[in-house]
Amino acid sequence: MGTERAAQLEYSEFQSAMLDEAKRRRKAAKIIAVLAHFLGRGDRPLEGLTVADIGCSAGFIADELALAGARHTFGIDIDVPGLRKAAGRFGERVAFVCGDGTRLPFPDGSVDVLVFNHIYEHVVDPDAVIADMHRVLADDGVLYLGLGNRLGIMEPHYKLPFLSYLPPRAADRYVRAFGRADNYYERFRTRAGLRRMLADFHVWDYTFPVLATPEAFEGGELFAGAAGRAAKATLEKAPRPALRALLPIVPTYIWVATKSARRPSGIALPQPPESVPTRSSTS
C-alpha cells in the first residue's frame, strides 16, 4: 500500500467494533453529554436541531442522537453494509445516506450539529471533509470531534505500541509481523497537525474535563476501584500547566468546534474546557 490509499468501503464488515452496540451507545452518551454541556442544555439537549453523524456506519450513535431530541437526524457513510443494517433498525428515526464526506448532501449552513467521532484517520482526505463540514454547518452550529493523536503510545486499532509513529511502509511491516493486518491503513496527526486541520474553526478542548469528571459526561473512571478514584482525584486537582504538558501524548482529544466565536454554556467544572489556538481564534 505504501502512501497510496483508497476509501475504506464496507468498514463494518472487517471492523467488528462498529457492530458492538453497547460500546457504541456508551460513546454516544458521552458525545451527547459533551454537546449538552457546550450548548448549556439539559434533558433532550438536541431538541429541535438538525443533526448529522458523519461516518455513522451501523447507526448506533445516530440513533442515540435522534433519541436525544433532534428534529432531523442523518447518518452519512460509504459503508453500504453498515448503512443497510442501520436503515433496517433505525430508519424510522434516522435518514441514512450513502455519501462521501467531501461532498456532503446538505445545503450551505443547514446543519446545527455535526458529529465526527474517530473518523479522520480513516478517510483519504480529512482536510477536504473538514472543509465540507465547515460549509454545511450553521453559523451558530457545533461540530463534535473525537480525534486520535499520532503520538499516543498505544495504537487504538491494532494495539501495537508506537505503530502510528512509523512511516507507512514500516507500519505495514509492523502489522504484518504481528499478524494484525496486511497493511496499516490509518493516518493519524499530531496535536499541531489537528490544529491546522481545524484552522477555520474556533475550538474548545474537552479532553481533561471528560477525564477529570467522567460522571458529568456519562463516562467511567480511567481504572477500576481505588486506582481509578485516585486518578480521578489527581486529575481534578492537578494544576492546568502540568496537564497541558501532557497534551502532546494524550491518545485521544475531545474537541468542540464552531464557525463563530462562542464559549461553553454548561456548569463550572474542576477542569474546565480550554480554547485551542487556531488561525480563527487568534486572528
Side-chain angles (χ1 to χ4, degrees):
M1 181 178 289
T3 59
E4 296 298 320
R5 300 171 78 218
Q8 281 187 308
L9 303 173
E10 302 183 348
Y11 186 66
S12 62
E13 295 290 282
F14 58 87
Q15 180 51 265
S16 60
M18 303 307 294
L19 303 179
D20 185 336
E21 181 167 354
K23 185 175 181 180
R24 300 299 290 174
R25 291 193 185 275
R26 286 195 299 271
K27 287 192 175 191
K30 178 179 71 176
I31 291 167
I32 292 165
V34 169
L35 291 168
H37 185 273
F38 187 86
L39 295 168
R41 292 183 170 207
D43 295 337
R44 294 174 65 81
L46 304 181
E47 189 79 53
L49 301 179
T50 297
V51 181
D53 180 15
I54 310 304
C56 67
S57 192
F60 301 117
I61 290 176
D63 186 50
E64 290 291 335
L65 297 172
L67 294 172
R71 179 178 59 183
H72 302 295
T73 307
F74 298 90
I76 310 298
D77 211 311
I78 56 173
D79 177 4
V80 173
L83 289 171
R84 287 198 187 107
K85 294 182 178 74
R89 289 193 60 184
F90 315 123
E92 291 185 1
R93 289 188 290 271
V94 181
F96 292 99
V97 181
C98 184
D100 184 339
T102 64
R103 297 183 297 276
L104 293 169
F106 306 114
D108 295 0
S110 61
V111 183
D112 299 305
V113 176
L114 289 164
V115 172
F116 194 55
N117 186 51
H118 293 287
I119 301 297
Y120 89 90
E121 70 270 22
H122 298 288
V123 303
V124 176
D125 189 349
D127 297 290
V129 177
I130 292 292
D132 210 48
M133 288 196 292
H134 188 279
R135 176 187 66 81
V136 305
L137 189 65
D139 288 342
D140 60 350
V142 175
L143 165 61
Y144 174 97
L145 298 136
L147 302 165
N149 176 14
R150 183 179 180 183
L151 299 184
I153 292 171
M154 186 63 70
E155 202 282 341
H157 302 88
Y158 302 96
K159 310 302 182 187
L160 294 171
F162 304 109
L163 173 60
S164 55
Y165 287 52
L166 300 175
R169 288 184 175 83
D172 289 347
R173 290 193 292 271
Y174 191 10
V175 294
R176 284 198 294 270
F178 283 85
R180 303 294 170 85
D182 293 330
N183 301 98
Y184 182 54
Y185 183 92
E186 289 71 19
R187 297 289 184 270
F188 287 97
R189 300 186 182 192
T190 64
R191 184 176 176 85
L194 294 169
R195 284 170 52 193
R196 289 191 292 271
M197 187 171 76
L198 275 295
D200 291 332
F201 286 89
H202 300 264
V203 177
W204 287 87
D205 193 336
Y206 270 80
T207 306
F208 289 130
V210 170
L211 290 174
T213 48
E215 68 280 359
F217 297 101
E218 303 293 335
E221 295 172 338
L222 283 172
F223 313 104
R229 292 190 293 274
K232 179 178 181 297
T234 299
L235 285 167
E236 282 183 344
K237 298 174 182 177
R240 204 53 181 260
L243 293 178
R244 289 191 199 108
L246 299 174
L247 282 173
I249 60 169
V250 169
T252 297
Y253 303 119
I254 300 170
W255 288 359
V256 173
T258 58
K259 289 168 72 169
S260 57
R262 56 188 296 190
R263 300 180 64 84
S265 299
I267 62 171
L269 297 167
Q271 295 290 352
E274 282 195 328
S275 178
V276 177
T278 63
R279 183 176 62 209
S280 289
S281 63
T282 56
S283 60

